[in-house]
Amino acid sequence: MRLRDSHLSNRNPRSELMSASLQSLIDSGTKLYLDSVEPSEIDQNLKWGAVGATSNPAIISGIVKAGGFDDRIDALLSEGLDDEAIAWALTDELVTDAEKKFAAIHQSTAGNAGWVSFELDPILEDPDQNLSPSDIATRYIELGKQWAAGHTNRMIKVPATEAGLLALEELAAAGITLNVTLMFTGDQYHAAREAVWKGAQRAAESGTRSLDQFKSVYSIFISRIDVYTQKELPNLSPEAQGNVGILNAKRIWKENQLFWADKNLKLEQELIFASTGTKSKDDPPWKYVAALAGSDIQTNPPSTNEAVDASGKLFTREVDDMPPQAVQDEIDAALDIKAMHKFLMDEGVDKFVKPQRELLAIISAKRDELTKQA
């Protein structure tokens, strides 16, 4: 029995203050996650019905830069920690705090929701590091085990790079719950799903983790695809332009539904619809929210959830509504999947690495500032 057919609802028990718009989105079947672990934003989004959250270096950098952590940085400095160790200590503390806030949801849904994602070190993917994919994968496995230890509702976030994909089976075999991120294409999804499923079966066979406890998610990025096609495929028709990311996500979602349908698992193996903030001023901020309403997880930026809350729109299930066949054919004929994949992955890795570098620079500046005040 699938969880949405059971009594284990994805509704947040603390959601009495959500708007009719957010309630309709959740009632359509969507699990609402927050693309932030900033404490006050989590508190607000819990009231709005969020049942999970995610972190990344850009989020942590923004929180630290905004202030409020100077005393904690000072304490960590006094312990003799370097900038990198402080960055990861702050990340771990923020994610752990978020996990505590979602713990009741995790328990009430028997592990189907209430997760908070923790992203592994992006700097490993920096080309300047000159690390081989196998070396990076080995490090991902070590770090995944380290940061997952002792946490019941923490997902370890691994990118669907060559190295990340190499690490997935071993991480899943160790009983670690995974969020495979930075995904744009079906090929990435297939490789990630197969590796995670193999690892999950190994974990069950070894007694490390029962398949009843197996949970995995696959983060499909959406708006970045539409930004790409607007630049690289300017001649797409108005009906096709701006819908490539949605079509791609819906196709992968259907594949995911079909693959897991006969596995008789207790927990849902879901897509996370990521990069759901609109990039075009001509689009309503809930464009992707509406198009993908009805299933799996939407990890939305705080501003997107705010816009949905204030929209007055009632959302209904649209995730399985495909564009007209003529639009699909036009997109398929025009789009070079391999070229798009290379461009977006190169861009994605850069966006993956830079925020962690920025976080280290922020902590270094805080170190200098606090040292001068001492």
Side-chain angles (χ1 to χ4, degrees), residues 4 10-12 15 18-19 21-23 25-35 44-54 102 105 113-115 270 272-273 276 289 295-302 304-306 308-309:
R4 286 199 184 100
N10 67 346
R11 182 174 295 198
N12 181 341
S15 64
M18 76 172 70
S19 67
S21 295
L22 283 165
Q23 185 66 67
L25 176 63
I26 292 166
D27 287 346
S28 76
T30 288
K31 290 189 184 78
L32 185 67
Y33 275 47
L34 175 66
D35 196 16
Q44 178 59 65
N45 281 266
L46 273 164
K47 295 174 183 176
W48 283 344
V51 295
T54 190
F102 287 104
I105 296 169
W115 295 94
E270 299 178 286
I272 287 182
F273 299 121
T276 55
V289 172
S295 188
D296 290 27
I297 299 165
Q298 291 191 22
T299 297
N300 298 331
T304 299
N305 284 344
E306 289 170 11
V308 170
D309 176 64

Side-chain angles (χ1 to χ4, degrees), residues 24-253:
S24 69
L25 176 63
I26 292 166
D27 287 346
S28 76
T30 288
K31 290 189 184 78
L32 185 67
Y33 275 47
L34 175 66
D35 196 16
S36 176
V37 289
E38 199 282 322
S40 66
E41 289 174 347
I42 287 178
D43 292 341
Q44 178 59 65
N45 281 266
L46 273 164
K47 295 174 183 176
W48 283 344
V51 295
T54 190
S55 70
N56 61 44
I59 289 168
I60 304 299
S61 294
I63 294 170
V64 173
K65 190 174 183 179
F69 282 85
D70 287 0
D71 289 346
R72 184 63 186 131
I73 293 173
D74 198 17
L76 293 169
L77 285 169
S78 68
E79 295 175 19
L81 273 64
D82 62 20
D83 293 346
E84 184 174 3
I86 290 173
W88 288 107
L90 292 173
T91 300
D92 186 40
E93 289 172 13
L94 282 161
V95 173
T96 298
D97 183 61
E99 290 166 24
K100 292 175 182 176
K101 293 180 178 182
F102 287 104
I105 296 169
H106 185 265
Q107 184 175 10
S108 68
T109 61
N112 203 47
W115 295 94
V116 183
S117 291
F118 183 105
E119 188 165 304
L120 299 183
D121 190 357
I123 291 176
L124 292 170
E125 296 283 353
D126 189 341
D128 292 341
Q129 297 290 101
N130 291 317
L131 296 173
S132 70
S134 62
D135 287 340
I136 299 171
T138 297
R139 189 66 180 133
Y140 277 148
I141 294 165
E142 294 169 351
L143 289 172
K145 292 177 178 179
Q146 173 189 337
W147 292 117
H151 296 270
T152 58
N153 61 326
R154 173 178 292 188
M155 283 182 171
I156 296 300
K157 189 191 284 190
V158 181
T161 58
E162 181 180 358
L165 293 172
L166 286 174
L168 294 177
E169 183 178 340
E170 291 304 317
L171 286 167
I176 294 169
T177 301
L178 297 168
N179 173 357
V180 188
T181 189
L182 204 64
M183 301 182 73
F184 300 98
T185 65
D187 286 349
Q188 286 177 288
Y189 160 73
H190 298 146
R193 183 195 70 199
E194 292 303 315
V196 172
W197 181 224
K198 285 180 183 177
Q201 292 174 94
R202 284 175 52 194
E205 290 166 2
S206 68
T208 301
R209 180 179 63 181
S210 164
L211 286 178
D212 286 350
Q213 299 172 301
F214 168 55
K215 175 80 177 179
S216 63
V217 299
Y218 307 85
S219 294
I220 307 299
F221 284 49
I222 301 161
S223 64
R224 291 190 195 180
I225 290 177
D226 290 334
V227 171
Y228 171 83
T229 61
Q230 286 165 2
K231 180 180 179 181
E232 301 296 329
L233 300 174
N235 295 324
L236 282 178
S237 70
E239 293 76 21
Q241 193 68 267
N243 282 305
V244 181
I246 292 170
L247 174 61
N248 183 65
K250 287 185 174 185
R251 284 175 169 174
I252 295 173
W253 174 81

